[in-house]
Amino acid sequence: MPLTPLDIHNKEFSRRLRGYDEDEVNEFLDQVIKDYEGVIRENKELSNQLLSVQEKLDHFSTIEETLSKTIIIAQEAADDVKGNAKKEAQLIVKEAEKNADRIVNESLGKSRKIALEVEELKKQASIYRARFRTLVEAQLELLTQDGWEVLESREQEVRDREREMKEIY
């Protein structure tokens, strides 16, 4: 067990013949007590500082550990968000591709339908032209026949009869 300043102060030495000067020894012991008390005080201060520094170090170590965990969690969250964003982007692209395919297929269907309708209209127009040409030709043939003269003479006969009837009545 280490000596305390009180142990040094209370220490009694045995006396012998031709021993040391008692005042000089006491004076030296007083100086040793003062120095020893200073060393003890300084040691306590250093111990207190060491405890304070150790507490701060523990605190900063805890903060460092917390920050490390936080960074890891933030990185994992960022990776999750990035992964989810990629998945969502892929889904959006797939949906857009499906919509594009659907629109293209609908457009092709409509185009085919319109092409069929155009062909049908061309056929109908061709039939109409043929019928109209036939009708016009038939009408021209009627105009060129001699039957018109007969009709005109009959018409003249009808007018003559009408005049006669008017005269009679």
Side-chain angles (χ1 to χ4, degrees), residues 39-127:
V39 168
I40 290 174
R41 197 176 314 114
E42 184 179 348
N43 190 17
K44 281 185 181 180
E45 286 175 12
L46 289 174
S47 293
N48 288 339
Q49 286 178 358
L50 179 64
L51 282 174
S52 174
V53 168
Q54 187 63 41
E55 286 175 1
K56 288 179 181 178
L57 179 63
D58 291 343
H59 176 71
F60 289 126
S61 294
T62 304
I63 289 174
E64 179 186 17
E65 186 178 328
T66 303
L67 287 174
S68 294
K69 288 179 182 177
T70 303
I71 289 171
I72 290 170
I73 290 170
Q75 184 64 42
E76 289 172 354
D79 291 343
D80 288 345
V81 167
K82 188 176 178 182
N84 289 339
K86 281 184 180 180
K87 287 178 184 176
E88 189 172 339
Q90 289 172 347
L91 289 174
I92 289 171
V93 167
K94 285 181 182 178
E95 187 68 27
E97 287 173 351
K98 285 180 185 177
N99 284 339
D101 288 342
R102 180 184 51 79
I103 290 169
V104 167
N105 288 335
E106 287 176 0
S107 297
L108 287 174
K110 288 179 181 177
S111 174
R112 286 184 196 119
K113 184 178 177 183
I114 290 171
L116 290 174
E117 288 176 0
V118 166
E119 284 300 315
E120 182 64 27
L121 287 173
K122 284 180 181 179
K123 286 178 187 176
Q124 288 178 2
S126 177
I127 292 169

Side-chain angles (χ1 to χ4, degrees), residues 141-167:
E141 189 177 318
L142 280 176
L143 288 174
T144 58
Q145 287 180 355
D146 293 336
W148 284 103
E149 294 171 2
V150 171
L151 286 176
E152 286 177 357
S153 67
R154 282 189 185 171
E155 188 177 310
Q156 188 61 38
E157 287 176 13
V158 169
R159 282 187 210 145
D160 290 340
R161 279 190 191 168
E162 283 178 356
R163 258 185 262 143
E164 289 175 5
M165 292 273 236
K166 282 184 187 178
E167 290 175 3

